[in-house]
Amino acid sequence: MSDDFFFNPFDEATRRDPFALYARGRARRAYRHPGLPVVSIFRYADVIEVLRDASLFSNVFPPPPGLGPEDMLPPNMLGTDPPEHERLRGLVNQAFTPKIIRRLEPRMEEIAESLLDAALRERRVDLVQALTYPLPVTVIAEIIGVPPEDGPKFKHWSDELVASLGAGLLGPPPPEQLAHTQSVVRELAAYFETLVELRRGEPKEDLLSGLVAAELEGRHLSFDELVQMLILLLVAGNETTTTLIGNVALTLLAHPDELARVRAEPERIPSAIEEVLRYSSPVQIDPRCATADTELCGEKVTKGEVVISWLGAANRDESVFKDPECFDTARKENRHLAFGFGTHYCLGSNLARLEAQTALRVLLRRTRDFRLASSDPLPLHRSFVFRSFTKIPLELEPA
Ligand code: HEM
């Protein structure tokens, strides 16, 4: 297609406000990134078509140049296709069902309350440090069974790993970045090795003990796979939910009428969270690798090329959502794709939803008002995969 559409997902202005470009992307359906083996798609129906076809659009990507499979840990569930994927996901699925997750609510509430106690003593806080990071990291650490005092270490590891997410999609990642990522994975593997040893000797009632049992029985899980699973849960479970809770605060602040409505009607909290997931989706992209030559949205795609589904664009598709550019915390029909779709649909969606609902409920209950404490542009996350800000300075007025 020849027009003047140019879409550079690394461009800072685009990252801060991509929505006009997303609309143009939806109008033209597909976009081949100039000179790259990468095609982006933007429409809801097209994204569904790609994400539901795991045999043509795979989650297995070739290793980065210079690295062979022997240099890498085995893939986690996110990096496998069926049937391998079912084996890995099946080992942890039961820990994340809606029923099991609902049982965690009182504990989440307790953690959020104590974080708000501390934040309200300060009054002026960075919401990321005060609430959006420590809540999910504490919850996932307790589910897995890692000592909560190691939270700061995970923040560091998780930051380092997600910073490079997506870097290899639009060109080879710089070798020094690859080496750094590898060294962080080695540090994490060493950390988990010690914990696994402890559980082998003395199992507890936690997910880690369950996984160690599977590993010990040699049933389904090798030690390296176990380490990969733990890294995935920690990283996927933290950064995304931290981002969601931050986006909840920021989107409500940008829409004061909606904030007032949610304050007045707390029963709106669940639909408000769904609306933030749609309107300001924490994860903006979902990439796949074509397993055969094909045609997609009028664009030829060759085997091995990357197809990027723009979830943030699909979630504003006018053919699916009524007034998609309008932020409406009472929206009824809201089948957004913020957690993906199909085989790899987010394992932690129930957990993330409940954490965000709890965080917002406690924030509203404990404050009369909150406002941004700075008019400077907020710092963007290092990876373009996320729609996320790494610092959110807020002034809190206690209730
Ligand atoms: C707002 C928070 C979250 C968002 C926006 C989010 C988003 C996503 C998305 C878009 C995918 C699909 C990736 C793909 O199709 O390749 C995914 C998968 C996944 N998510 Fe989440 N996620 C969130 C929270 C969590 C939490 C709390 C956990 C912790 C358990 C988690 C664990 C996973 C795992 C393990 C997968 C891979 C599932 C598979 O391959 O079958 N996520 N997530």
Side-chain angles (χ1 to χ4, degrees):
M1 196 182 268
S2 64
D3 61 21
D4 62 351
F5 185 72
F6 180 67
F7 180 54
N8 173 9
F10 295 112
D11 174 61
E12 180 170 339
T14 300
R15 286 190 61 202
R16 286 190 184 275
D17 186 4
F19 299 105
L21 279 172
Y22 284 171
R24 292 181 64 194
R26 284 191 303 272
R28 73 197 317 283
R29 284 189 85 182
Y31 175 67
R32 176 168 286 281
H33 294 260
L36 293 172
V38 183
V39 172
S40 278
I41 56 169
F42 304 90
R43 288 189 193 175
Y44 188 97
D46 294 336
V47 167
I48 297 259
E49 187 185 321
V50 166
L51 296 186
R52 72 152 43 113
D53 190 349
S55 63
L56 185 55
F57 298 106
S58 160
N59 249 15
V60 179
F61 290 83
L67 291 183
E70 65 288 354
D71 301 312
M72 323 269 288
L73 285 176
N76 58 40
M77 74 180 93
L78 198 52
T80 52
D81 291 329
E84 185 67 351
H85 170 262
E86 271 69 61
R87 174 178 67 88
L88 292 170
R89 183 156 171 148
L91 288 163
V92 284
N93 240 345
Q94 285 310 310
F96 294 95
T97 60
K99 201 169 149 203
I100 296 284
I101 293 302
R102 259 196 310 275
R103 286 195 207 143
L104 302 173
E105 194 169 2
R107 176 67 186 133
M108 277 180 203
E109 182 107 7
E110 190 182 21
I111 300 167
E113 281 284 351
S114 81
L115 292 168
L116 259 293
D117 285 343
L120 285 165
R121 282 195 291 275
E122 301 283 321
R123 298 278 186 107
R124 195 187 158 127
V125 293
D126 170 11
L127 195 71
V128 176
Q129 294 298 328
L131 177 68
T132 74
Y133 175 73
L135 176 63
V137 80
T138 310
V139 173
I140 195 77
E142 290 185 4
I143 293 175
I144 295 175
V146 301
E149 61 274 17
D150 289 342
K153 280 194 212 163
F154 288 117
K155 172 82 181 134
H156 165 73
W157 283 324
S158 169
D159 278 355
E160 293 308 304
L161 288 180
V162 294
S164 59
L165 264 189
L169 286 174
L170 293 158
E176 58 282 3
Q177 191 176 53
L178 265 183
H180 181 59
T181 304
Q182 294 282 93
S183 84
V184 175
V185 170
R186 274 195 299 275
E187 273 177 46
L188 264 160
Y191 171 84
F192 281 127
E193 207 166 334
T194 315
L195 275 187
V196 166
E197 273 308 320
L198 285 171
R199 288 303 188 285
R200 279 185 182 139
E202 201 180 324
K204 294 190 177 176
E205 290 285 310
D206 54 29
L207 187 64
L208 180 55
S209 301
L211 291 172
V212 167
E215 187 236 357
L216 275 182
E217 289 164 24
R219 261 194 306 148
H220 295 300
L221 197 65
S222 71
F223 174 75
D224 283 349
E225 286 176 334
L226 193 164
V227 168
Q228 278 287 55
M229 178 84 85
L230 296 170
I231 295 177
L232 174 66
L233 292 178
L234 267 171
V235 175
N238 284 337
E239 198 72 15
T240 47
T241 317
T242 293
T243 296
L244 172 59
I245 302 171
N247 289 0
V248 168
L250 289 171
T251 315
L252 287 171
L253 281 170
H255 298 85
D257 293 350
E258 290 295 312
L259 174 54
R261 280 187 197 113
V262 181
R263 257 194 196 286
E265 301 162 42
E267 58 282 5
R268 268 195 194 215
I269 288 174
S271 63
I273 299 301
E274 295 310 306
E275 183 64 342
V276 175
L277 281 159
R278 181 192 74 82
Y279 188 85
S280 191
S281 309
V283 175
Q284 290 283 300
I285 68 160
D286 204 348
R288 293 291 186 270
C289 185
T291 58
D293 294 355
T294 185
E295 199 175 299
L296 179 67
C297 308
E299 191 70 45
K300 280 198 166 45
V301 173
T302 309
K303 180 178 174 180
E305 289 194 328
V306 172
V307 173
I308 299 183
S309 289
W310 285 87
L311 303 176
N315 283 339
R316 299 233 185 161
D317 190 327
E318 40 288 279
S319 69
V320 177
F321 300 98
K322 192 166 167 276
D323 295 331
E325 304 298 333
C326 167
F327 176 71
D328 174 5
T329 56
R331 187 179 286 277
K332 293 270 176 312
E333 287 296 309
N334 196 352
R335 291 154 64 89
H336 62 74
L337 300 176
F339 291 118
F341 181 85
T343 311
H344 294 275
Y345 181 80
C346 178
L347 174 79
S349 61
N350 301 312
L351 176 62
R353 286 183 159 118
L354 195 60
E355 285 177 346
Q357 291 169 14
T358 308
L360 179 57
R361 195 171 54 243
V362 175
L363 181 64
L364 293 177
R365 192 165 64 215
R366 299 291 309 275
T367 59
R368 184 146 39 98
D369 193 16
F370 57 88
R371 63 189 84 81
L372 273 175
S374 158
S375 52
D376 294 341
L378 300 177
L380 279 175
H381 196 282
R382 285 192 281 171
S383 163
F384 79 98
V385 170
F386 293 96
R387 176 164 182 75
S388 175
F389 301 95
T390 52
K391 282 197 175 68
I392 305 179
L394 281 195
E395 270 174 38
L396 307 173
E397 253 182 60

